[in-house]
Amino acid sequence: MIKFYSKMIVGEKPYRLFIHHNSFRVHRHPEIELAYCLKNKTKIVINNITYTVKKGDLAIINSMLPHEYMTDACERNYLMIIEAGPVMLSNFYNIIANYDFKNPVIAFEDDNNHELKSLLSETALLLEKEVPASELLQKSNIYKIFAYIIDTIYKYNNTSTPRNQHAYMQIEKAFELIKLSECWNEST
């Protein structure tokens, strides 16, 4: 595990994306961690406060906050974990890392966050089913997920969105072309 984090810090692997099924004892790391619940529910303790994360909820665990995952003995949790640090997020890392999330759990019970939920679901599907260029598409979605979170932070703080964040959102157009190209190549 330490070896992976050192690769993340030097930029060899700027993010980590995986499915988590078990309890995990208290730990902390400099990366920002997103935990998207794919099935069942789980308890996540973040900075000594316990949150219940249900299927379809997203927990945002900020840099260096102690956190742990607790699993019910009868039910395994199924979480998609995304960890990203300063190398991947560049100057946007500090925007998120310095933000105090009053409630770090986003429940998708209404349509206010439809775009974010869609991105998370698509990323989980790409992780589950390898398709051509899935790593590239996953990385694109991770950028868009973090851009969405940054945009939300700016909305709540009544400040304007930084210009560079719009560049991340434009990545979507390039990846749509890749998807179209792959579909065209498969049909020919």
Side-chain angles (χ1 to χ4, degrees):
M1 178 96 59
I2 301 285
K3 186 177 182 180
F4 182 84
Y5 285 116
S6 64
K7 286 182 177 184
M8 215 182 223
I9 290 168
V10 298
E12 206 173 303
K13 180 76 174 165
Y15 68 93
R16 187 169 174 213
L17 176 66
F18 61 97
I19 302 296
H20 178 73
H21 299 287
N22 304 311
S23 296
F24 199 89
R25 62 182 169 74
V26 177
H27 64 289
R28 65 175 72 205
H29 43 77
E31 293 74 28
I32 296 162
E33 184 169 322
L34 306 178
Y36 180 61
C37 188
L38 300 168
K39 186 177 174 184
N40 300 328
K41 64 181 178 181
T42 192
K43 292 194 183 312
I44 301 176
V45 180
I46 304 170
N47 210 20
N48 296 319
I49 301 171
T50 303
Y51 299 92
T52 299
V53 181
K54 303 179 307 281
K55 179 182 177 182
D57 290 351
L58 173 70
I60 302 170
I61 304 161
N62 225 331
S63 174
M64 296 309 293
L65 287 181
H67 57 285
E68 70 178 301
Y69 295 95
M70 301 183 327
T71 304
D72 185 323
C74 300
E75 273 188 319
R76 289 179 73 188
N77 62 30
Y78 288 86
L79 300 166
M80 177 179 68
I81 305 293
I82 302 170
E83 296 174 347
V87 172
M88 181 169 187
L89 299 174
S90 62
N91 57 329
F92 298 108
Y93 172 83
N94 286 332
I95 294 168
I96 299 172
N98 293 323
Y99 188 73
D100 180 20
F101 292 94
K102 301 295 183 217
N103 181 1
V105 177
I106 298 172
F108 294 105
E109 293 165 348
D110 56 20
D111 279 344
N112 290 343
N113 298 306
H114 177 71
E115 183 182 354
L116 179 58
K117 184 176 182 177
S118 234
L119 287 168
L120 289 160
S121 297
E122 181 181 309
T123 305
L125 189 62
L126 288 166
L127 184 59
E128 182 183 316
K129 299 178 187 218
E130 289 291 319
V131 295
S134 61
E135 186 177 342
L136 189 60
L137 295 168
Q138 290 167 359
K139 191 173 186 177
S140 163
N141 282 0
I142 292 169
Y143 275 120
K144 290 186 278 185
I145 290 163
F146 278 101
Y148 186 93
I149 291 168
I150 291 165
D151 189 49
T152 302
I153 289 170
Y154 277 91
K155 283 180 187 171
Y156 283 114
N157 287 332
N158 295 322
T159 58
S160 62
T161 304
R163 286 185 308 147
N164 293 354
Q165 192 242 341
H166 295 292
Y168 280 140
M169 298 306 272
Q170 295 303 314
I171 291 171
E172 181 173 356
K173 291 178 185 173
F175 287 108
E176 289 302 320
L177 290 174
I178 292 169
K179 284 182 189 177
L180 288 172
S181 169
E182 286 175 356
C183 291
W184 186 80
N185 287 335
E186 288 175 6
S187 66
T188 58

